[in-house]
C-alpha cells in the first residue's frame, strides 16, 4: 500500500495517510485509572519519538533534557525556549501517544497568570496536548486555573527535581510519617484541582500505594510502586546511556557500551583506510 502525506496547516506537519495509529487523548488516559497500566517514557527528539511512540501511551518531553541533552547540572537552568523546541520535535515525530511537555523552573511558580502564559505558549508552539508541573498543595490553585481554561495538566509530587536546592539532593522522599502525610496531601490537592494524571517520583512504596488509592486520576510512578496506574522512566536511563543508574531504573539495554564499540570500530577502519570501501563510494558510470 502506498503512503501519501496530507499537510496540516495548523501545525505544518505532514501526516502519513493512512495514519499508522490514531492519537490517544487526555480523556482516554484519564479512563485508564485502575485498568491496563499506562506506559510513559521521556522523548526529546523527533527520531526518538518515532521509535518510542508505537509502544507508549504518553511521551513526556521532560525537563530532564537539561542533564540528558545539554549536560546541565540540574533541571533548574532549563528554559521555555528549550522545552518548546524539543516539544515541537517530539510532536512531529509521534502519531499515537499523548505528548506532554514539562513546564521549566521559573515559568509557572509566580502565579496562575504566569503559568497560563507559559503553558499556552508551550501548547501553541509545540502542538502538545498537555503540560506537567511540579508541586503539591502550593500549586493547586495554579492547576485549577489552567485546567479550567482548557489546559490539561499532569501533576508531579514526591521528589520534585526542580526543588533540588531546597531538598538538598535527589534522595527518596517520605521517610518520616509527617513527610509521608504531606506527600499524600500534595497528591490529593493537585488531583482535586484537576490534574488528569499524576507523577509520583522517588517515594516510599507505601506512600505511592496510599496516594494511588486516594486520588481519582491515574498515578504514574518513577521510583514509586508497581501498584501505580502507570510507570515512567527517562529513556536514556533505561537504554543504559549513562554509567550511573539510579536504584529505581531498570536497564533494558547497554547502549553506551554499544555506541562506544561502534565508534571504536569506525575509528579503526578510518585509520586503517578500510572505510570507505567500493560499496560506499561513487564512480562515474562506464
Ligand atoms: O523531567 C523528567 O524527565 C521527569 C520524569 C522523570 C518524570 O519529570
Amino acid at each position: 500500500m502506498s503512503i501519501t502525506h496530507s499537510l496540516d496547516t495548523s501545525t505544518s506537519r505532514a501526516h502519513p495517510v493512512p495514519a499508522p495509529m490514531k492519537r490517544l487523548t487526555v480523556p482516554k488516559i484519564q479512563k485508564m485509572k485502575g485498568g491496563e497500566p499506562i506506559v510513559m517514557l521521556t522523548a526529546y527528539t523527533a527520531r526518538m519519538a518515532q521509535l518510542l511512540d508505537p509502544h507508549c501511551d504518553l511521551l513526556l518531553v521532560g525537563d530532564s533534557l537539561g542533564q540528558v541533552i545539554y549536560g546541565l547540572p540540574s533541571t533548574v537552568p532549563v528554559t521555555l525556549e528549550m522545552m518548546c523546541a524539543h516539544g515541537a520535535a517530539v510532536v512531529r515525530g509521534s502519531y499515537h501517544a499523548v505528548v506532554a511537555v514539562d513546564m521549566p523552573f521559573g515559568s509557572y511558580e509566580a502565579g496562575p497568570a504566569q503559568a497560563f502564559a507559559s503553558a499556552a505558549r508551550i501548547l501553541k508552539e509545540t502542538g502538545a496536548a498537555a503540560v506537567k508541573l511540579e508541586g503539591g498543595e502550593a500549586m493547586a490553585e495554579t492547576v485549577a486555573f489552567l485546567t479550567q481554561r482548557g489546559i490539561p495538566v499532569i501533576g508531579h509530587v514526591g521528589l520534585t527535581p526542580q526543588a533540588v536546592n531546597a531538598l538538598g539532593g535527589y534522595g527518596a522522599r517520605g521517610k518520616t510519617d509527617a513527610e509521608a502525610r504531606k506527600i499524600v496531601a500534595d497528591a490529593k490537592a493537585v488531583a482535586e484541582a484537576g490534574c488528569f494524571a499524576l507523577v509520583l517520583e522517588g517515594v516510599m512504596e507505601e506512600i505511592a500505594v496510599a496516594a494511588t488509592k486516594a486520588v481519582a486520576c491515574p498515578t504514574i510512578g518513577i521510583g514509586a510502586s508497581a501498584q501505580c496506574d502507570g510507570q515512567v522512566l527517562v529513556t536514556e536511563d533505561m537504554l543504559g546511556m549513562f554509567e550511573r543508574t539510579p536504584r529505581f531504573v531498570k536497564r533494558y539495554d547497554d547502549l553506551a557500551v554499544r555506541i562506544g564499540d561502534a565508534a571504536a570500530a569506525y575509528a579503526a577502519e578510518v585509520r586503517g583506510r578500510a572505510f570507505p570501501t567500493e560499496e560506499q563510494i561513487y564512480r562515474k558510470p562506464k
Side-chain angles (χ1 to χ4, degrees):
M1 186 190 303
S2 71
I3 293 184
T4 56
H5 285 82
S6 73
L7 189 65
D8 177 343
T9 48
S10 63
T11 60
S12 299
R13 290 183 69 198
H15 292 284
V17 179
M21 275 175 168
K22 202 164 158 21
R23 200 185 280 280
L24 283 168
T25 60
V26 165
K28 283 192 180 142
I29 298 288
Q30 254 170 325
K31 286 194 195 116
M32 291 174 82
K33 173 87 187 171
E36 185 174 333
I38 295 168
V39 179
M40 181 171 175
L41 282 169
T42 59
Y44 318 120
T45 63
R47 183 61 184 139
M48 189 61 90
Q50 285 168 346
L51 296 174
L52 304 178
D53 186 49
H55 310 285
C56 290
D57 304 304
L58 274 161
L59 286 175
L60 174 67
V61 187
D63 60 353
S64 50
L65 63 75
Q67 291 106 314
V68 177
I69 301 279
Y70 290 94
L72 294 167
S74 74
T75 55
V76 172
V78 171
T79 64
L80 254 186
E81 286 68 27
M82 289 175 182
M83 297 313 300
C84 285
H86 289 275
V90 169
V91 171
R92 284 195 292 271
S94 61
Y95 294 92
H96 166 64
V98 170
V99 177
V101 178
D102 256 338
M103 300 191 69
F105 179 69
S107 73
Y108 61 96
E109 301 88 334
Q114 185 209 21
F116 184 83
S118 301
R121 178 172 168 197
I122 289 173
L123 297 197
K124 280 171 189 279
E125 291 187 17
T126 66
V131 295
K132 175 167 84 58
L133 58 82
E134 295 182 8
E137 288 169 306
M139 281 299 136
E141 187 193 351
T142 295
V143 170
F145 192 89
L146 297 183
T147 54
Q148 285 161 16
R149 286 160 181 78
I151 299 185
V153 178
I154 301 179
H156 183 157
V157 302
L159 172 61
T160 48
Q162 291 177 8
V164 62
N165 291 313
L167 299 176
Y170 297 103
R173 312 297 301 164
K175 290 181 187 151
T176 66
D177 287 351
E179 208 176 86
R181 277 195 299 275
K182 170 75 178 126
I183 295 168
V184 176
D186 281 341
K188 283 164 90 170
V190 288
E192 281 162 16
C195 285
F196 76 91
L198 178 62
V199 169
L200 298 172
E201 177 166 359
V203 293
M204 302 297 117
E205 124 112 339
E206 314 78 77
I207 299 174
V209 174
T212 298
K213 286 189 185 139
V215 301
C217 68
T219 58
I220 302 176
I222 172 164
S225 169
Q227 290 186 52
C228 289
D229 300 298
Q231 302 294 326
V232 60
L233 283 176
V234 170
T235 297
E236 284 73 2
D237 281 341
M238 72 93 179
L239 290 177
M241 286 287 282
F242 298 105
E243 283 69 33
R244 199 189 142 270
T245 317
R247 177 185 165 81
F248 58 81
V249 172
K250 179 169 175 188
R251 290 167 80 111
Y252 289 83
D253 207 325
D254 222 345
L255 271 200
V257 171
R258 294 212 279 149
I259 290 172
D261 288 350
Y266 168 74
E269 290 197 359
V270 169
R271 293 190 180 112
R273 297 200 185 280
F275 173 84
T277 66
E278 273 305 307
E279 278 174 43
Q280 289 98 24
I281 58 174
Y282 299 100
R283 293 210 183 273
K284 273 194 210 160
K286 288 189 183 140

